[in-house]
Amino acid sequence: MMLNFSNHPYRIWSDAQKEAAARYGEVVDMPFPQIDPSVSTGQLRQLVNEYSARIEATNADAVMAAGEFTFLFMLVDKLLHDGVNVVCSCSTRETVETQQPDGTNIKSSRFVFNSFRPYEHYGK
């Protein structure tokens, strides 16, 4: 089983991403929390402990994790330390910027899934 710990529910994944995830079996969504930018490092650690316990209790074969950077970094570090297989979704970003008649620009991006890449400790 793959645990999808992100704000991108499985139902909206591309067919290519769903096919790549199928090697882990069923995909179960666990929404990534909204992280207030004003929380302290200590509060982040508390959240990491709470969510890592919930994630590890699922006994997932892989955890696809994506979200707010500082929380994600701390969480992935803890999960790897605890022996959990954590992966990220790797995509190509195709961006188009269009200048409007009033001079403003609108930028839109499309993400094309490529693969899942495992998180690893540096130096391995």
Side-chain angles (χ1 to χ4, degrees):
M1 181 266 280
M2 173 183 267
L3 183 69
N4 171 29
F5 187 60
S6 74
N7 287 319
H8 306 280
Y10 175 76
R11 65 179 166 70
I12 66 168
W13 286 9
S14 69
D15 290 342
Q17 189 170 4
K18 288 178 179 178
E19 288 172 21
R23 70 179 269 211
Y24 299 104
E26 176 187 18
V27 176
V28 175
D29 291 326
M30 180 184 288
F32 197 92
Q34 293 296 318
I35 305 295
D36 186 321
S38 67
V39 300
S40 68
T41 301
Q43 291 168 311
L44 277 179
R45 281 194 183 95
Q46 289 175 340
L47 285 170
V48 165
N49 288 332
E50 174 189 328
Y51 277 92
S52 64
R54 288 178 57 195
I55 290 167
E56 291 180 36
T58 69
N59 293 312
D61 297 301
V63 176
M64 200 294 292
E68 192 275 336
F69 296 117
T70 53
F71 173 78
L72 180 65
F73 178 83
M74 292 170 73
L75 178 74
V76 169
D77 185 55
K78 179 164 184 356
L79 292 173
L80 290 177
H81 182 267
D82 293 348
V84 177
N85 179 27
V86 188
V87 301
C88 66
S89 179
C90 298
S91 302
T92 302
R93 180 189 311 213
E94 298 174 352
T95 304
V96 175
E97 193 165 349
T98 308
Q99 188 169 40
Q100 302 301 297
D102 67 359
T104 61
N105 292 315
I106 296 178
K107 185 184 285 190
S108 62
S109 296
R110 183 178 98 129
F111 295 90
V112 180
F113 175 80
N114 181 271
S115 64
F116 290 110
R117 179 182 299 144
Y119 283 99
E120 294 182 359
H121 292 290
Y122 181 77
K124 277 198 163 189

